[in-house]
Amino acid sequence: MNKIAIVYWSGTGNTEAMAQLAAQGAAAAGKPTDLILAVDFTAAQAAEYETIGFGCPSMGAEQLEETEFQPMYDAVRPSLSGKPVVLFGSYGWGNGEWMQSWAEDCEAAGARLVASPVIANGAPAGSVAEDCEALGAALAKA
């Protein structure tokens, strides 16, 4: 198996760019990686992947996107126990509270966060882009 899924939702393209960087990091470490839109990922598919990267920007009052990403995450959440996971997303306001809450929820579900979540204020650049690639590498090594 040993495949990596990088599942994301992006409204402006910033989180999509982060997903692509994470996929590049995993590929550089020699692991097959599938980039999957949140709307196309199911709980059944989660079982097909050894590790999963999730990407979602901050929405509204520092929360996950509610119409596509949150329902997918809620469906997949029960299958995360013991699974290596990384989290990433972009924001344009606030202080990253949504990511801290999301990381705590993943850990409560039993997911094993293999790297600190990465957040980007806007498009990923510089050290944030490098951090996104490092997320993919962390998934590849998990």
Side-chain angles (χ1 to χ4, degrees), residues 65-77:
E65 191 278 328
E66 295 179 292
T67 59
E68 293 178 11
F69 194 89
Q70 186 72 55
M72 175 280 302
Y73 175 72
D74 289 343
V76 169
R77 188 180 184 278

Side-chain angles (χ1 to χ4, degrees), residues 39-51:
V39 70
D40 296 328
F41 195 69
T42 66
Q45 285 177 289
E48 298 174 17
Y49 293 91
E50 184 175 314
T51 59

Side-chain angles (χ1 to χ4, degrees), residues 40-109:
D40 296 328
F41 195 69
T42 66
Q45 285 177 289
E48 298 174 17
Y49 293 91
E50 184 175 314
T51 59
I52 302 175
F54 288 110
C56 186
S58 173
M59 304 293 289
E62 296 238 18
Q63 61 196 33
L64 298 174
E65 191 278 328
E66 295 179 292
T67 59
E68 293 178 11
F69 194 89
Q70 186 72 55
M72 175 280 302
Y73 175 72
D74 289 343
V76 169
R77 188 180 184 278
S79 65
L80 296 180
S81 185
K83 194 172 290 269
V85 169
V86 298
L87 305 175
F88 59 91
S90 61
Y91 67 102
W93 62 90
N95 62 5
E97 181 181 333
W98 102 100
M99 187 60 73
Q100 181 179 346
S101 298
W102 187 17
E104 290 169 0
D105 185 74
C106 277
E107 288 176 326

Side-chain angles (χ1 to χ4, degrees), residues 8-24:
Y8 69 94
W9 186 92
S10 187
T12 63
N14 294 334
T15 301
E16 180 179 18
M18 296 176 82
Q20 292 170 345
L21 288 163
Q24 289 173 14

